[in-house]
PDB file of all heavy atoms in Angstrom:
ATOM      1  N   ILE E   1     145.316  -5.921  30.389  1.00 98.00           N
ATOM      2  CA  ILE E   1     146.717  -6.070  30.660  1.00 98.00           C
ATOM      3  C   ILE E   1     146.889  -7.359  31.464  1.00 98.00           C
ATOM      4  O   ILE E   1     146.102  -7.714  32.331  1.00 98.00           O
ATOM      5  CB  ILE E   1     147.316  -4.872  31.402  1.00 98.00           C
ATOM      6  CG1 ILE E   1     148.835  -4.951  31.501  1.00 98.00           C
ATOM      7  CG2 ILE E   1     146.684  -4.689  32.782  1.00 98.00           C
ATOM      8  CD1 ILE E   1     149.501  -3.669  32.015  1.00 98.00           C
ATOM      9  N   SER E   2     147.942  -8.082  31.132  1.00 97.00           N
ATOM     10  CA  SER E   2     148.282  -9.311  31.878  1.00 97.00           C
ATOM     11  C   SER E   2     149.769  -9.496  31.894  1.00 97.00           C
ATOM     12  O   SER E   2     150.508  -8.820  31.151  1.00 97.00           O
ATOM     13  CB  SER E   2     147.567 -10.518  31.252  1.00 97.00           C
ATOM     14  OG  SER E   2     147.971 -10.730  29.893  1.00 97.00           O
ATOM     15  N   ARG E   3     150.215 -10.435  32.682  1.00 94.00           N
ATOM     16  CA  ARG E   3     151.641 -10.713  32.725  1.00 94.00           C
ATOM     17  C   ARG E   3     151.905 -12.183  32.977  1.00 94.00           C
ATOM     18  O   ARG E   3     151.119 -12.873  33.648  1.00 94.00           O
ATOM     19  CB  ARG E   3     152.379  -9.861  33.789  1.00 94.00           C
ATOM     20  CG  ARG E   3     151.988 -10.161  35.224  1.00 94.00           C
ATOM     21  CD  ARG E   3     152.493  -9.069  36.169  1.00 94.00           C
ATOM     22  NE  ARG E   3     153.978  -8.962  36.162  1.00 94.00           N
ATOM     23  CZ  ARG E   3     154.653  -7.901  36.590  1.00 94.00           C
ATOM     24  NH1 ARG E   3     154.008  -6.839  37.077  1.00 94.00           N
ATOM     25  NH2 ARG E   3     155.996  -7.898  36.578  1.00 94.00           N
ATOM     26  N   ASP E   4     152.987 -12.672  32.413  1.00 93.00           N
ATOM     27  CA  ASP E   4     153.439 -14.010  32.632  1.00 93.00           C
ATOM     28  C   ASP E   4     154.840 -13.898  33.192  1.00 93.00           C
ATOM     29  O   ASP E   4     155.795 -13.734  32.414  1.00 93.00           O
ATOM     30  CB  ASP E   4     153.411 -14.826  31.337  1.00 93.00           C
ATOM     31  CG  ASP E   4     153.745 -16.291  31.533  1.00 93.00           C
ATOM     32  OD1 ASP E   4     154.384 -16.621  32.568  1.00 93.00           O
ATOM     33  OD2 ASP E   4     153.356 -17.097  30.697  1.00 93.00           O
ATOM     34  N   ASN E   5     154.994 -13.942  34.484  1.00 86.00           N
ATOM     35  CA  ASN E   5     156.289 -13.702  35.087  1.00 86.00           C
ATOM     36  C   ASN E   5     157.269 -14.804  34.781  1.00 86.00           C
ATOM     37  O   ASN E   5     158.501 -14.578  34.769  1.00 86.00           O
ATOM     38  CB  ASN E   5     156.136 -13.508  36.595  1.00 86.00           C
ATOM     39  CG  ASN E   5     155.554 -12.167  36.951  1.00 86.00           C
ATOM     40  OD1 ASN E   5     155.484 -11.246  36.139  1.00 86.00           O
ATOM     41  ND2 ASN E   5     155.119 -12.046  38.218  1.00 86.00           N
ATOM     42  N   ALA E   6     156.821 -16.005  34.525  1.00 89.00           N
ATOM     43  CA  ALA E   6     157.696 -17.091  34.146  1.00 89.00           C
ATOM     44  C   ALA E   6     158.370 -16.797  32.802  1.00 89.00           C
ATOM     45  O   ALA E   6     159.483 -17.291  32.536  1.00 89.00           O
ATOM     46  CB  ALA E   6     156.951 -18.401  34.099  1.00 89.00           C
ATOM     47  N   LYS E   7     157.707 -16.031  31.962  1.00 92.00           N
ATOM     48  CA  LYS E   7     158.238 -15.703  30.654  1.00 92.00           C
ATOM     49  C   LYS E   7     158.796 -14.268  30.604  1.00 92.00           C
ATOM     50  O   LYS E   7     159.200 -13.838  29.530  1.00 92.00           O
ATOM     51  CB  LYS E   7     157.144 -15.831  29.581  1.00 92.00           C
ATOM     52  CG  LYS E   7     156.670 -17.229  29.373  1.00 92.00           C
ATOM     53  CD  LYS E   7     155.600 -17.319  28.312  1.00 92.00           C
ATOM     54  CE  LYS E   7     155.138 -18.745  28.091  1.00 92.00           C
ATOM     55  NZ  LYS E   7     154.074 -18.803  27.040  1.00 92.00           N
ATOM     56  N   ASN E   8     158.768 -13.558  31.724  1.00 91.00           N
ATOM     57  CA  ASN E   8     159.246 -12.190  31.752  1.00 91.00           C
ATOM     58  C   ASN E   8     158.562 -11.342  30.698  1.00 91.00           C
ATOM     59  O   ASN E   8     159.215 -10.552  29.982  1.00 91.00           O
ATOM     60  CB  ASN E   8     160.760 -12.122  31.624  1.00 91.00           C
ATOM     61  CG  ASN E   8     161.489 -12.349  32.938  1.00 91.00           C
ATOM     62  OD1 ASN E   8     160.917 -12.800  33.909  1.00 91.00           O
ATOM     63  ND2 ASN E   8     162.745 -11.954  32.962  1.00 91.00           N
ATOM     64  N   THR E   9     157.252 -11.455  30.600  1.00 95.00           N
ATOM     65  CA  THR E   9     156.513 -10.780  29.566  1.00 95.00           C
ATOM     66  C   THR E   9     155.229 -10.198  30.074  1.00 95.00           C
ATOM     67  O   THR E   9     154.532 -10.871  30.897  1.00 95.00           O
ATOM     68  CB  THR E   9     156.184 -11.757  28.370  1.00 95.00           C
ATOM     69  OG1 THR E   9     157.422 -12.311  27.864  1.00 95.00           O
ATOM     70  CG2 THR E   9     155.477 -11.020  27.251  1.00 95.00           C
ATOM     71  N   VAL E  10     154.915  -8.992  29.677  1.00 96.00           N
ATOM     72  CA  VAL E  10     153.624  -8.364  29.929  1.00 96.00           C
ATOM     73  C   VAL E  10     152.934  -8.142  28.613  1.00 96.00           C
ATOM     74  O   VAL E  10     153.555  -7.897  27.571  1.00 96.00           O
ATOM     75  CB  VAL E  10     153.805  -7.049  30.733  1.00 96.00           C
ATOM     76  CG1 VAL E  10     154.600  -6.050  29.938  1.00 96.00           C
ATOM     77  CG2 VAL E  10     152.462  -6.513  31.174  1.00 96.00           C
ATOM     78  N   TYR E  11     151.597  -8.250  28.640  1.00 98.00           N
ATOM     79  CA  TYR E  11     150.787  -8.167  27.417  1.00 98.00           C
ATOM     80  C   TYR E  11     149.738  -7.079  27.551  1.00 98.00           C
ATOM     81  O   TYR E  11     149.302  -6.746  28.653  1.00 98.00           O
ATOM     82  CB  TYR E  11     150.073  -9.486  27.132  1.00 98.00           C
ATOM     83  CG  TYR E  11     150.987 -10.686  27.081  1.00 98.00           C
ATOM     84  CD1 TYR E  11     151.159 -11.503  28.196  1.00 98.00           C
ATOM     85  CD2 TYR E  11     151.635 -11.008  25.917  1.00 98.00           C
ATOM     86  CE1 TYR E  11     152.024 -12.615  28.146  1.00 98.00           C
ATOM     87  CE2 TYR E  11     152.472 -12.135  25.840  1.00 98.00           C
ATOM     88  CZ  TYR E  11     152.654 -12.925  26.936  1.00 98.00           C
ATOM     89  OH  TYR E  11     153.452 -14.006  26.869  1.00 98.00           O
ATOM     90  N   LEU E  12     149.352  -6.566  26.406  1.00 98.00           N
ATOM     91  CA  LEU E  12     148.221  -5.679  26.336  1.00 98.00           C
ATOM     92  C   LEU E  12     147.319  -6.193  25.186  1.00 98.00           C
ATOM     93  O   LEU E  12     147.657  -6.029  24.024  1.00 98.00           O
ATOM     94  CB  LEU E  12     148.613  -4.231  26.096  1.00 98.00           C
ATOM     95  CG  LEU E  12     147.465  -3.231  26.143  1.00 98.00           C
ATOM     96  CD1 LEU E  12     146.903  -3.112  27.544  1.00 98.00           C
ATOM     97  CD2 LEU E  12     147.899  -1.848  25.649  1.00 98.00           C
ATOM     98  N   GLN E  13     146.214  -6.810  25.567  1.00 98.00           N
ATOM     99  CA  GLN E  13     145.226  -7.261  24.585  1.00 98.00           C
ATOM    100  C   GLN E  13     144.280  -6.092  24.292  1.00 98.00           C
ATOM    101  O   GLN E  13     143.662  -5.586  25.220  1.00 98.00           O
ATOM    102  CB  GLN E  13     144.449  -8.454  25.107  1.00 98.00           C
ATOM    103  CG  GLN E  13     143.360  -8.958  24.169  1.00 98.00           C
ATOM    104  CD  GLN E  13     143.928  -9.563  22.879  1.00 98.00           C
ATOM    105  OE1 GLN E  13     144.863 -10.343  22.954  1.00 98.00           O
ATOM    106  NE2 GLN E  13     143.351  -9.168  21.743  1.00 98.00           N
ATOM    107  N   MET E  14     144.222  -5.720  23.053  1.00 98.00           N
ATOM    108  CA  MET E  14     143.419  -4.552  22.631  1.00 98.00           C
ATOM    109  C   MET E  14     142.322  -5.041  21.685  1.00 98.00           C
ATOM    110  O   MET E  14     142.610  -5.525  20.589  1.00 98.00           O
ATOM    111  CB  MET E  14     144.289  -3.522  21.954  1.00 98.00           C
ATOM    112  CG  MET E  14     145.483  -3.067  22.818  1.00 98.00           C
ATOM    113  SD  MET E  14     146.424  -1.733  22.018  1.00 98.00           S
ATOM    114  CE  MET E  14     147.081  -2.581  20.598  1.00 98.00           C
ATOM    115  N   ASN E  15     141.101  -4.913  22.118  1.00 98.00           N
ATOM    116  CA  ASN E  15     139.956  -5.309  21.322  1.00 98.00           C
ATOM    117  C   ASN E  15     139.151  -4.064  20.928  1.00 98.00           C
ATOM    118  O   ASN E  15     139.226  -3.013  21.547  1.00 98.00           O
ATOM    119  CB  ASN E  15     139.057  -6.292  22.106  1.00 98.00           C
ATOM    120  CG  ASN E  15     139.783  -7.580  22.423  1.00 98.00           C
ATOM    121  OD1 ASN E  15     140.612  -8.077  21.655  1.00 98.00           O
ATOM    122  ND2 ASN E  15     139.450  -8.167  23.586  1.00 98.00           N
ATOM    123  N   THR E  16     138.255  -4.253  19.953  1.00 98.00           N
ATOM    124  CA  THR E  16     137.419  -3.220  19.431  1.00 98.00           C
ATOM    125  C   THR E  16     138.151  -1.916  19.275  1.00 98.00           C
ATOM    126  O   THR E  16     137.726  -0.856  19.837  1.00 98.00           O
ATOM    127  CB  THR E  16     136.137  -3.041  20.300  1.00 98.00           C
ATOM    128  OG1 THR E  16     136.490  -2.720  21.660  1.00 98.00           O
ATOM    129  CG2 THR E  16     135.295  -4.283  20.260  1.00 98.00           C
ATOM    130  N   LEU E  17     139.256  -1.968  18.576  1.00 98.00           N
ATOM    131  CA  LEU E  17     140.113  -0.790  18.423  1.00 98.00           C
ATOM    132  C   LEU E  17     139.389   0.313  17.669  1.00 98.00           C
ATOM    133  O   LEU E  17     138.571   0.043  16.771  1.00 98.00           O
ATOM    134  CB  LEU E  17     141.377  -1.175  17.737  1.00 98.00           C
ATOM    135  CG  LEU E  17     142.408  -1.883  18.611  1.00 98.00           C
ATOM    136  CD1 LEU E  17     143.431  -2.658  17.777  1.00 98.00           C
ATOM    137  CD2 LEU E  17     143.098  -0.870  19.491  1.00 98.00           C
ATOM    138  N   ARG E  18     139.717   1.540  18.006  1.00 98.00           N
ATOM    139  CA  ARG E  18     139.132   2.737  17.437  1.00 98.00           C
ATOM    140  C   ARG E  18     140.226   3.626  16.883  1.00 98.00           C
ATOM    141  O   ARG E  18     141.365   3.524  17.306  1.00 98.00           O
ATOM    142  CB  ARG E  18     138.369   3.500  18.533  1.00 98.00           C
ATOM    143  CG  ARG E  18     137.290   2.702  19.238  1.00 98.00           C
ATOM    144  CD  ARG E  18     136.816   3.436  20.486  1.00 98.00           C
ATOM    145  NE  ARG E  18     135.810   2.709  21.191  1.00 98.00           N
ATOM    146  CZ  ARG E  18     135.373   3.009  22.411  1.00 98.00           C
ATOM    147  NH1 ARG E  18     135.887   4.049  23.073  1.00 98.00           N
ATOM    148  NH2 ARG E  18     134.424   2.285  22.970  1.00 98.00           N
ATOM    149  N   PRO E  19     139.877   4.504  15.962  1.00 98.00           N
ATOM    150  CA  PRO E  19     140.902   5.385  15.417  1.00 98.00           C
ATOM    151  C   PRO E  19     141.607   6.215  16.489  1.00 98.00           C
ATOM    152  O   PRO E  19     142.827   6.466  16.361  1.00 98.00           O
ATOM    153  CB  PRO E  19     140.112   6.304  14.472  1.00 98.00           C
ATOM    154  CG  PRO E  19     139.007   5.429  14.006  1.00 98.00           C
ATOM    155  CD  PRO E  19     138.604   4.611  15.220  1.00 98.00           C
ATOM    156  N   GLU E  20     140.936   6.588  17.543  1.00 97.00           N
ATOM    157  CA  GLU E  20     141.562   7.352  18.610  1.00 97.00           C
ATOM    158  C   GLU E  20     142.568   6.550  19.429  1.00 97.00           C
ATOM    159  O   GLU E  20     143.274   7.118  20.248  1.00 97.00           O
ATOM    160  CB  GLU E  20     140.512   7.970  19.547  1.00 97.00           C
ATOM    161  CG  GLU E  20     139.557   6.961  20.117  1.00 97.00           C
ATOM    162  CD  GLU E  20     138.231   6.893  19.370  1.00 97.00           C
ATOM    163  OE1 GLU E  20     138.252   6.961  18.108  1.00 97.00           O
ATOM    164  OE2 GLU E  20     137.161   6.841  20.023  1.00 97.00           O
ATOM    165  N   ASP E  21     142.646   5.253  19.191  1.00 98.00           N
ATOM    166  CA  ASP E  21     143.658   4.431  19.811  1.00 98.00           C
ATOM    167  C   ASP E  21     144.984   4.496  19.109  1.00 98.00           C
ATOM    168  O   ASP E  21     145.987   3.962  19.583  1.00 98.00           O
ATOM    169  CB  ASP E  21     143.207   2.962  19.909  1.00 98.00           C
ATOM    170  CG  ASP E  21     142.003   2.758  20.797  1.00 98.00           C
ATOM    171  OD1 ASP E  21     141.972   3.361  21.886  1.00 98.00           O
ATOM    172  OD2 ASP E  21     141.132   1.993  20.423  1.00 98.00           O
ATOM    173  N   THR E  22     145.024   5.145  17.949  1.00 98.00           N
ATOM    174  CA  THR E  22     146.237   5.256  17.184  1.00 98.00           C
ATOM    175  C   THR E  22     147.280   6.007  17.967  1.00 98.00           C
ATOM    176  O   THR E  22     147.065   7.131  18.406  1.00 98.00           O
ATOM    177  CB  THR E  22     145.971   5.970  15.833  1.00 98.00           C
ATOM    178  OG1 THR E  22     145.090   5.141  15.060  1.00 98.00           O
ATOM    179  CG2 THR E  22     147.261   6.189  15.081  1.00 98.00           C
ATOM    180  N   ALA E  23     148.462   5.404  18.163  1.00 98.00           N
ATOM    181  CA  ALA E  23     149.515   6.023  18.965  1.00 98.00           C
ATOM    182  C   ALA E  23     150.738   5.089  18.949  1.00 98.00           C
ATOM    183  O   ALA E  23     150.644   3.937  18.525  1.00 98.00           O
ATOM    184  CB  ALA E  23     149.053   6.234  20.387  1.00 98.00           C
ATOM    185  N   MET E  24     151.843   5.620  19.421  1.00 98.00           N
ATOM    186  CA  MET E  24     152.963   4.800  19.775  1.00 98.00           C
ATOM    187  C   MET E  24     152.714   4.276  21.213  1.00 98.00           C
ATOM    188  O   MET E  24     152.440   5.071  22.123  1.00 98.00           O
ATOM    189  CB  MET E  24     154.264   5.622  19.718  1.00 98.00           C
ATOM    190  CG  MET E  24     155.515   4.789  19.978  1.00 98.00           C
ATOM    191  SD  MET E  24     155.938   3.692  18.607  1.00 98.00           S
ATOM    192  CE  MET E  24     156.603   4.872  17.425  1.00 98.00           C
ATOM    193  N   TYR E  25     152.854   2.988  21.359  1.00 98.00           N
ATOM    194  CA  TYR E  25     152.628   2.369  22.646  1.00 98.00           C
ATOM    195  C   TYR E  25     153.948   1.947  23.277  1.00 98.00           C
ATOM    196  O   TYR E  25     154.770   1.297  22.633  1.00 98.00           O
ATOM    197  CB  TYR E  25     151.694   1.155  22.512  1.00 98.00           C
ATOM    198  CG  TYR E  25     150.242   1.510  22.319  1.00 98.00           C
ATOM    199  CD1 TYR E  25     149.798   2.060  21.147  1.00 98.00           C
ATOM    200  CD2 TYR E  25     149.336   1.302  23.330  1.00 98.00           C
ATOM    201  CE1 TYR E  25     148.488   2.448  20.968  1.00 98.00           C
ATOM    202  CE2 TYR E  25     148.010   1.647  23.202  1.00 98.00           C
ATOM    203  CZ  TYR E  25     147.568   2.205  22.046  1.00 98.00           C
ATOM    204  OH  TYR E  25     146.260   2.563  21.893  1.00 98.00           O
ATOM    205  N   TYR E  26     154.080   2.326  24.537  1.00 98.00           N
ATOM    206  CA  TYR E  26     155.335   2.081  25.254  1.00 98.00           C
ATOM    207  C   TYR E  26     155.073   1.194  26.467  1.00 98.00           C
ATOM    208  O   TYR E  26     154.119   1.397  27.213  1.00 98.00           O
ATOM    209  CB  TYR E  26     155.966   3.374  25.747  1.00 98.00           C
ATOM    210  CG  TYR E  26     156.335   4.345  24.683  1.00 98.00           C
ATOM    211  CD1 TYR E  26     155.429   5.312  24.233  1.00 98.00           C
ATOM    212  CD2 TYR E  26     157.589   4.295  24.094  1.00 98.00           C
ATOM    213  CE1 TYR E  26     155.800   6.178  23.239  1.00 98.00           C
ATOM    214  CE2 TYR E  26     157.952   5.196  23.108  1.00 98.00           C
ATOM    215  CZ  TYR E  26     157.035   6.133  22.695  1.00 98.00           C
ATOM    216  OH  TYR E  26     157.382   7.017  21.683  1.00 98.00           O
ATOM    217  N   CYS E  27     155.957   0.257  26.671  1.00 97.00           N
ATOM    218  CA  CYS E  27     155.980  -0.536  27.880  1.00 97.00           C
ATOM    219  C   CYS E  27     156.908   0.124  28.886  1.00 97.00           C
ATOM    220  O   CYS E  27     157.952   0.679  28.515  1.00 97.00           O
ATOM    221  CB  CYS E  27     156.467  -1.952  27.541  1.00 97.00           C
ATOM    222  SG  CYS E  27     156.665  -3.052  28.946  1.00 97.00           S
ATOM    223  N   ALA E  28     156.531   0.095  30.179  1.00 97.00           N
ATOM    224  CA  ALA E  28     157.360   0.735  31.186  1.00 97.00           C
ATOM    225  C   ALA E  28     157.283  -0.079  32.477  1.00 97.00           C
ATOM    226  O   ALA E  28     156.319  -0.779  32.770  1.00 97.00           O
ATOM    227  CB  ALA E  28     156.840   2.149  31.442  1.00 97.00           C
ATOM    228  N   ALA E  29     158.348   0.020  33.243  1.00 95.00           N
ATOM    229  CA  ALA E  29     158.470  -0.691  34.519  1.00 95.00           C
ATOM    230  C   ALA E  29     158.666   0.331  35.639  1.00 95.00           C
ATOM    231  O   ALA E  29     159.530   1.203  35.574  1.00 95.00           O
ATOM    232  CB  ALA E  29     159.651  -1.661  34.518  1.00 95.00           C
ATOM    233  N   GLN E  30     157.826   0.191  36.671  1.00 93.00           N
ATOM    234  CA  GLN E  30     157.927   1.008  37.867  1.00 93.00           C
ATOM    235  C   GLN E  30     158.677   0.177  38.929  1.00 93.00           C
ATOM    236  O   GLN E  30     158.285  -0.935  39.214  1.00 93.00           O
ATOM    237  CB  GLN E  30     156.525   1.379  38.336  1.00 93.00           C
ATOM    238  CG  GLN E  30     156.502   2.315  39.512  1.00 93.00           C
ATOM    239  CD  GLN E  30     155.065   2.729  39.866  1.00 93.00           C
ATOM    240  OE1 GLN E  30     154.678   2.634  41.021  1.00 93.00           O
ATOM    241  NE2 GLN E  30     154.297   3.190  38.888  1.00 93.00           N
ATOM    242  N   ALA E  31     159.708   0.756  39.521  1.00 89.00           N
ATOM    243  CA  ALA E  31     160.551   0.024  40.433  1.00 89.00           C
ATOM    244  C   ALA E  31     159.891  -0.100  41.783  1.00 89.00           C
ATOM    245  O   ALA E  31     160.418   0.405  42.814  1.00 89.00           O
ATOM    246  CB  ALA E  31     161.940   0.660  40.530  1.00 89.00           C
ATOM    247  N   SER E  32     158.738  -0.753  41.818  1.00 89.00           N
ATOM    248  CA  SER E  32     158.023  -1.012  43.088  1.00 89.00           C
ATOM    249  C   SER E  32     157.082  -2.188  42.867  1.00 89.00           C
ATOM    250  O   SER E  32     156.723  -2.518  41.732  1.00 89.00           O
ATOM    251  CB  SER E  32     157.240   0.230  43.510  1.00 89.00           C
ATOM    252  OG  SER E  32     156.234   0.557  42.546  1.00 89.00           O
ATOM    253  N   TRP E  33     156.731  -2.839  43.923  1.00 89.00           N
ATOM    254  CA  TRP E  33     155.832  -3.973  43.884  1.00 89.00           C
ATOM    255  C   TRP E  33     154.431  -3.538  43.472  1.00 89.00           C
ATOM    256  O   TRP E  33     153.750  -4.283  42.742  1.00 89.00           O
ATOM    257  CB  TRP E  33     155.742  -4.658  45.253  1.00 89.00           C
ATOM    258  CG  TRP E  33     156.998  -5.365  45.662  1.00 89.00           C
ATOM    259  CD1 TRP E  33     157.990  -4.890  46.441  1.00 89.00           C
ATOM    260  CD2 TRP E  33     157.345  -6.722  45.351  1.00 89.00           C
ATOM    261  NE1 TRP E  33     158.945  -5.839  46.628  1.00 89.00           N
ATOM    262  CE2 TRP E  33     158.596  -6.968  45.952  1.00 89.00           C
ATOM    263  CE3 TRP E  33     156.740  -7.732  44.600  1.00 89.00           C
ATOM    264  CZ2 TRP E  33     159.237  -8.231  45.868  1.00 89.00           C
ATOM    265  CZ3 TRP E  33     157.358  -8.964  44.508  1.00 89.00           C
ATOM    266  CH2 TRP E  33     158.611  -9.182  45.121  1.00 89.00           C
ATOM    267  N   TRP E  34     154.027  -2.352  43.931  1.00 90.00           N
ATOM    268  CA  TRP E  34     152.650  -1.892  43.712  1.00 90.00           C
ATOM    269  C   TRP E  34     152.688  -0.713  42.749  1.00 90.00           C
ATOM    270  O   TRP E  34     153.645   0.033  42.689  1.00 90.00           O
ATOM    271  CB  TRP E  34     152.021  -1.518  45.039  1.00 90.00           C
ATOM    272  CG  TRP E  34     152.292  -2.520  46.129  1.00 90.00           C
ATOM    273  CD1 TRP E  34     153.015  -2.271  47.237  1.00 90.00           C
ATOM    274  CD2 TRP E  34     151.837  -3.866  46.162  1.00 90.00           C
ATOM    275  NE1 TRP E  34     153.062  -3.437  48.012  1.00 90.00           N
ATOM    276  CE2 TRP E  34     152.351  -4.426  47.368  1.00 90.00           C
ATOM    277  CE3 TRP E  34     151.094  -4.684  45.313  1.00 90.00           C
ATOM    278  CZ2 TRP E  34     152.123  -5.748  47.703  1.00 90.00           C
ATOM    279  CZ3 TRP E  34     150.877  -6.014  45.669  1.00 90.00           C
ATOM    280  CH2 TRP E  34     151.374  -6.525  46.859  1.00 90.00           C
ATOM    281  N   CYS E  35     151.574  -0.518  42.093  1.00 93.00           N
ATOM    282  CA  CYS E  35     151.493   0.511  41.068  1.00 93.00           C
ATOM    283  C   CYS E  35     151.003   1.804  41.653  1.00 93.00           C
ATOM    284  O   CYS E  35     149.837   2.196  41.445  1.00 93.00           O
ATOM    285  CB  CYS E  35     150.586   0.056  39.915  1.00 93.00           C
ATOM    286  SG  CYS E  35     151.163  -1.359  39.002  1.00 93.00           S
ATOM    287  N   GLY E  36     151.869   2.487  42.362  1.00 86.00           N
ATOM    288  CA  GLY E  36     151.533   3.825  42.809  1.00 86.00           C
ATOM    289  C   GLY E  36     151.611   4.777  41.651  1.00 86.00           C
ATOM    290  O   GLY E  36     152.546   4.754  40.834  1.00 86.00           O
ATOM    291  N   THR E  37     150.623   5.714  41.574  1.00 93.00           N
ATOM    292  CA  THR E  37     150.539   6.705  40.490  1.00 93.00           C
ATOM    293  C   THR E  37     150.855   6.066  39.146  1.00 93.00           C
ATOM    294  O   THR E  37     151.702   6.522  38.398  1.00 93.00           O
ATOM    295  CB  THR E  37     151.435   7.919  40.777  1.00 93.00           C
ATOM    296  OG1 THR E  37     152.818   7.503  40.881  1.00 93.00           O
ATOM    297  CG2 THR E  37     151.028   8.618  42.062  1.00 93.00           C
TER     298      THR E  37
END
């Protein structure tokens, strides 16, 4: 996971994908500076 705050964009680079990675992927924002829980 990475982010480019100048572009207001977050990325998820996924390598060596497996069948168990199949899913709907959602982006989410937590209203805090730090990632609690």
